[in-house]
Amino acid sequence: MVPPMFWAILHVLACAHEVEQKHEAYEESHASVIKSQLLRWAATWEESAEARDVVLQHIREQMAAVSFDVASTYASWAAELPNSAGNYAVAAAVSESVAFLPDCIAELKTKSELQTRCPQKMLKIAIQKLFSMDDAEGATRVWMLARRLYRGSTRMFPEMLPEEEAAIPWPSAVQSSTVWVRGLREKPFWDCYQAWPFVRTLEAHAARILSEATDVAPKLTRAYPYLFTQGSWQNLFLFRGRTWNADICHIMPRTCQLLMPEIPTKPGLPTVVPNNEEIVLFRSMDGAYVGPHSGAVNNQINIHLTLKGSRGAFLNVAGDRHELKPGKAMCFQDSYLHSLEHKCDKNSDDCNERLSLVVRVLHPDFDAHSVHGYAATEAEGALEAFSESAALRAELSRLREQYRKLSDRPEEPGEESCKAPLPTDADLQNAHEVFAFLSQEFHGWAPSEEPIDAIVVLSNWYDRMSKVRKVLEIAASARNVPIVVVGGRGRLSSIRAAELDGEAHATLARLLVLLEVPGELGTLGTNRVVAISCNECPTPELRAKCGCVGNTGFNADRFLEWAATFLPPLPHRPRRVVIVEESYLVRRVTATVLGRLSGMTSPRHVHNHSTMQVSIVNAREVSDALDQLLQVHEPMPSAMMQLMADEVARLENYSSQTAGSPQLFSEVMFLGDVQAVTSETQATIAEGPYAAFRRVRRLGKELSARYAAPMEKVARDRRLFWKCVAPRDSEGVATWTVPEAPGEAWRFWRKPNDGES
């Protein structure tokens, strides 16, 4: 027999379930009523300009008539309405009305300034919505209202208060974060490298990060739908709420390895809001527009590293619009109003998808003094419970755990040392013979036929300082001629070139310094120097890819184009140009420039052999230059052997169109009577020079057979290539320690048959 108590309990449970169902039905019905009302207001506002003031007045009356909980529900739903002018206007009016309700404004007294307070949050939403509908005047009006609230009370003054007296001390309408930390410097953009040195490492590894980001891209989900008005905007968090996403780090191991030692940036300090420090991957597609918004607090900076698809993507911070650049970071203060526009040109094929890594870090000025005297923060709660020593111990434990994981990680195949056979005495003897052949200078006029009209450097990394010294030597005796430096990012680019958008600017930076150093004849004018590099390419697409400079042919073309305007042909004599080149590249540069002047490439240049004479001189003394370069390649001296063998192959390929290469010059331009070539008479190749080339070609093939395999092996890993093959920077700058090669250098060795334009 069932006891009576059982039936009593069953009846009580049934009644409770019925009450719960009725409550849920009421809540659903209540929410439906609120949503419908918001949409009616928005529709009326959009349909009739005359009715707008009436709508806004009705909103204010409705918010005052309902309970604070209901008014807050109105504000929550309004903030997430679809993006349209009417919805913006309604959301702004609802939020502004709720901000001044007694229960809302009371939080100015009951909560710490470092917590989310109702009036500040509501007025921020109102300002953001007004900016979204291009009503800057309305946004400024709301900001001025906020600045009339007195600190530590619910009083509102008739005029704006000074920041130190204001309860909401926003300095302007474009800085309206939910929480405001006093005493921090305010500026829209920050120097990434000075404040956060690890940004250079992220930029150097941008290609690797992009590769990992591409792998994880299918996991991206829709980001902040209430912020973007059109297109697709997605995100994925690697680090959030002081926690690393282990699943994502498994797919993006190198990215996480680079950032785990850096984040959090200030582990001994309490955080103000939960998203104070985060790492997030963003993706937008062509047509996306993320409306104006500001971050949760002013004590955080966004490090925005663009990985791909930057063309057509613009970041607007406080009205300052910047186009994003691939592989480059932009750092801006999150509290400033910012927006993103992604719109491709019709003919662009590298714009449709943008991927960016955003690392949110603490403001450089944020310290223990910033939170002193406050009872609580939004993220930590009561600060009396926060322990700096406990936070540091937790961070130490985290770092130890990461180091344990690193020590347990098996060695990657690409992380072995730069293993390659050391050059034997016989190899070195043959290498000297090849080197001497390749380093042969060319003089297009007799020394008595001065003056010269220009000094030119077709830049590559070999060797920046040697070239600069040679240029200064020539410039001292030709004091008024222009110095033209041309170069981009090629197969042996330096990190310095990547930082300055091309080897020409890296060489220029060193040259300008030394030109000002007094010599026997005093200083040399710096205004005579011209740099032609990535930034000087004619179109945005070429500038982004550095696609008009970088190899010898491109660099020669850019100089000849410059000369057509600034060194036009003379009626009485040819122009005379001295080109300073790296030792073993001299012979091929000679042939390439002569080929251009002979009209062997398209388009033809204004100058030809009758209007311009060239001399290509060596930046080094040939007698000990090979020994110097072997030292430059100390981690893997055999790389020098393969580089010389490659130069010999290029002479053959570019003169005979073998291996699918374009014909850039003829054999006679590096073997025959070059004086006859320049005078445009019949030129032949004597047996002696041709026999010498046959021998050098054979020696080059022998060197390649012995040393090509180690070169190809290290080319499988970009970090290993950089460590083993890239020449040591003669300037001794710290960037030499960056463990990854520029993408152009790596791609050359991954595709060694690529032709030169």
Side-chain angles (χ1 to χ4, degrees):
M1 181 176 179
V2 179
M5 181 62 70
F6 172 80
W7 297 110
I9 293 173
L10 189 63
H11 177 70
V12 170
L13 291 174
C15 291
H17 180 65
E18 183 180 355
V19 170
E20 184 178 353
Q21 285 185 320
K22 289 181 178 179
H23 180 73
E24 290 176 354
Y26 171 79
E27 289 290 330
E28 185 175 343
S29 173
H30 195 56
S32 178
V33 169
I34 291 175
K35 290 180 183 178
S36 298
Q37 180 65 74
L38 291 169
L39 293 175
R40 283 196 299 272
W41 282 334
T44 304
W45 190 93
E46 290 183 348
E47 290 170 1
S48 172
E50 293 78 11
R52 289 177 180 177
D53 289 340
V54 176
V55 170
L56 298 181
Q57 180 61 30
H58 189 191
I59 290 173
R60 287 190 286 270
E61 292 173 354
Q62 179 74 359
M63 295 306 103
V66 299
S67 69
F68 178 62
D69 287 343
V70 172
S72 298
T73 304
Y74 268 100
S76 297
W77 284 113
E80 297 187 7
L81 286 173
N83 296 294
S84 69
N87 288 340
Y88 290 148
V90 168
V94 170
S95 299
E96 181 183 343
S97 300
V98 172
F100 294 102
L101 294 177
D103 286 350
C104 180
I105 208 166
E107 291 191 1
L108 294 178
K109 291 182 64 177
T110 60
K111 285 190 174 183
S112 161
E113 286 189 3
L114 301 186
Q115 292 178 292
T116 298
R117 300 178 297 172
C118 179
Q120 193 162 341
K121 179 181 178 180
M122 291 295 115
L123 294 175
K124 170 195 172 174
I125 293 172
I127 289 173
Q128 187 170 291
K129 297 298 182 181
L130 290 166
F131 272 120
S132 294
M133 57 188 294
D134 294 325
D135 186 2
E137 183 178 345
T140 301
R141 177 189 60 79
V142 174
W143 165 68
M144 294 173 69
L145 284 175
R147 282 289 297 271
R148 290 165 56 187
L149 293 166
Y150 190 68
R151 187 177 186 182
S153 75
T154 59
R155 295 171 59 194
M156 189 170 187
F157 279 66
E159 67 280 339
M160 286 178 59
L161 297 169
E163 287 186 26
E164 61 272 14
E165 296 180 8
I168 304 175
W170 293 329
S172 70
V174 297
Q175 284 197 83
S176 54
S177 58
T178 310
V179 177
W180 189 266
V181 181
R182 298 177 187 265
L184 305 181
R185 284 176 293 165
E186 305 149 14
K187 54 183 179 179
F189 292 97
W190 289 75
D191 184 335
C192 298
Y193 306 140
Q194 182 178 4
W196 305 278
F198 68 86
V199 173
R200 289 190 187 275
T201 304
L202 292 180
E203 289 182 339
H205 289 75
R208 178 71 175 269
I209 296 171
L210 171 59
S211 176
E212 295 182 345
T214 303
D215 292 339
V216 83
K219 295 182 176 292
L220 287 156
T221 57
R222 196 179 186 198
Y224 312 115
Y226 56 90
L227 287 180
F228 67 93
T229 59
Q230 58 194 43
S232 174
W233 190 39
Q234 298 175 309
N235 67 0
L236 179 67
F237 288 89
L238 286 74
F239 177 79
R240 194 180 199 187
R242 298 178 178 170
T243 303
W244 289 89
N245 188 324
D247 292 338
I248 302 305
C249 284
H250 180 72
I251 305 173
M252 302 184 70
R254 186 58 175 160
T255 306
C256 292
Q257 287 169 14
L258 291 171
L259 287 167
M260 278 182 177
E262 310 294 344
I263 307 298
T265 57
K266 300 184 178 185
L269 293 177
T271 52
V272 175
V273 296
N275 72 335
N276 249 169
E277 295 203 301
E278 293 182 329
I279 303 171
V280 57
L281 189 67
F282 281 105
R283 174 169 64 184
S284 64
M285 306 301 288
D286 179 20
Y289 177 72
V290 181
H293 61 284
S294 54
V297 65
N298 65 316
N299 79 329
Q300 57 196 27
I301 310 294
N302 288 342
I303 301 171
H304 190 288
L305 174 65
T306 304
L307 301 174
K308 69 169 291 190
S310 61
R311 187 178 180 191
F314 292 87
L315 183 66
N316 188 319
V317 181
D320 196 354
R321 188 168 180 260
H322 290 262
E323 186 171 19
L324 302 176
K325 293 184 178 181
K328 291 292 184 181
M330 188 180 297
C331 297
F332 65 94
Q333 195 158 340
D334 195 34
S335 57
Y336 280 88
L337 199 75
H338 53 280
S339 61
L340 178 80
E341 177 186 359
H342 184 177
K343 187 175 182 180
C344 301
D345 294 336
K346 291 183 179 179
N347 298 323
S348 176
D349 59 355
D350 61 347
C351 166
N352 289 332
E353 180 188 42
R354 175 193 65 96
L355 281 171
S356 295
L357 182 73
V358 175
V359 182
R360 184 169 293 130
V361 295
L362 287 174
H363 193 294
D365 297 348
F366 183 71
D367 56 20
H369 180 73
S370 303
V371 298
H372 180 70
Y374 293 101
T377 71
E378 184 66 21
E380 305 288 352
L383 287 179
E384 63 181 6
F386 178 81
S387 169
E388 179 182 358
S389 60
L392 290 174
R393 284 196 301 272
E395 176 63 7
L396 179 60
S397 297
R398 183 189 72 83
L399 290 174
R400 281 176 172 168
E401 181 61 24
Q402 293 304 322
Y403 279 117
R404 290 189 190 102
K405 291 179 180 178
L406 286 174
S407 65
D408 293 338
R409 184 169 60 93
E411 185 175 341
E412 295 181 8
E415 292 185 347
E416 58 188 0
S417 60
C418 306
K419 292 181 179 179
L422 289 175
T424 64
D425 290 342
D427 288 338
L428 289 174
Q429 184 176 349
N430 292 338
H432 275 285
E433 187 173 344
V434 174
F435 187 84
F437 175 86
L438 294 172
S439 304
Q440 182 65 48
E441 290 186 345
F442 170 71
H443 298 282
W445 66 86
S448 60
E449 295 181 290
E450 298 288 350
I452 63 174
D453 295 287
I455 305 167
V456 179
V457 177
L458 305 181
S459 294
N460 55 63
W461 199 356
Y462 285 104
D463 166 357
R464 195 179 300 134
M465 284 304 297
S466 295
K467 287 188 175 182
V468 166
R469 283 192 290 266
K470 190 68 173 181
V471 167
L472 292 174
E473 176 188 323
I474 300 171
S477 58
R479 298 185 63 82
N480 296 317
V481 304
I483 301 170
V484 185
V485 187
V486 190
R489 300 193 296 263
R491 58 187 176 131
L492 287 173
S493 291
S494 64
I495 286 291
R496 185 67 171 155
E499 293 171 349
L500 298 177
D501 286 323
E503 289 291 354
H505 290 151
T507 303
L508 173 67
R510 176 56 54 183
L511 185 60
L512 290 178
V513 171
L514 295 181
L515 281 171
E516 295 286 2
V517 177
E520 294 181 1
L521 301 176
T523 59
L524 301 172
T526 57
N527 59 353
R528 61 196 288 198
V529 185
V530 176
I532 303 173
S533 199
C534 310
N535 290 341
E536 285 69 46
C537 291
T539 67
E541 184 174 8
L542 286 174
R543 287 194 290 273
K545 295 180 178 179
C546 200
C548 72
V549 284
N551 61 47
T552 304
F554 277 173
N555 293 350
D557 286 334
R558 301 296 83 78
F559 163 67
L560 290 172
E561 289 169 0
W562 177 89
T565 300
F566 298 99
L567 290 179
L570 296 174
H572 57 284
R573 69 167 178 87
R575 294 286 191 180
R576 299 188 181 98
V577 175
V578 177
I579 299 175
V580 178
E581 191 47 75
E582 172 61 45
S583 53
Y584 73 102
L585 303 177
V586 167
R587 192 177 285 260
R588 182 170 60 84
V589 170
T590 299
T592 301
V593 174
L594 294 179
R596 257 55 177 184
L597 291 174
S598 296
M600 295 189 67
T601 58
S602 179
R604 289 174 175 264
H605 291 284
V606 169
H607 279 290
N608 54 44
H609 292 301
S610 65
T611 64
M612 180 177 287
Q613 296 175 337
V614 294
S615 285
I616 290 80
V617 300
N618 203 321
R620 301 175 188 267
E621 294 294 331
V622 177
S623 58
D624 59 353
L626 179 57
D627 295 333
Q628 293 174 9
L629 290 181
L630 289 172
Q631 292 176 5
V632 166
H633 284 281
E634 183 182 5
M636 188 175 169
S638 63
M640 191 64 233
M641 306 296 173
Q642 177 58 32
L643 291 170
M644 287 193 298
D646 179 66
E647 280 300 301
V648 175
R650 285 181 163 207
L651 285 173
E652 181 176 21
N653 295 342
Y654 293 152
S655 62
S656 59
Q657 293 183 283
T658 57
S661 300
Q663 185 173 13
L664 305 181
F665 43 78
S666 62
E667 284 185 331
V668 73
M669 293 179 182
F670 64 91
L671 290 178
D673 184 353
V674 182
Q675 298 296 344
V677 173
T678 58
S679 61
E680 299 183 347
T681 59
Q682 185 65 34
T684 59
I685 303 175
E687 177 57 29
Y690 195 74
F693 180 60
R694 285 199 302 268
R695 174 171 171 76
V696 166
R697 185 172 55 191
R698 177 177 60 80
L699 294 177
K701 290 180 178 179
E702 291 176 2
L703 291 174
S704 182
R706 181 169 170 79
Y707 298 110
M711 182 76 91
E712 292 170 0
K713 185 176 182 180
V714 298
R716 295 170 191 158
D717 186 283
R718 292 183 64 182
R719 293 164 294 166
L720 197 59
F721 175 92
W722 183 259
K723 175 183 176 183
C724 301
V725 177
R728 190 180 303 279
D729 197 319
S730 58
E731 294 182 50
V733 293
T735 48
W736 165 248
T737 61
V738 175
E740 189 161 336
E744 292 82 357
W746 179 69
R747 280 195 294 273
F748 175 84
W749 291 109
R750 292 288 286 172
K751 300 177 181 178
N753 293 324
D754 282 357
E756 178 177 337
S757 298

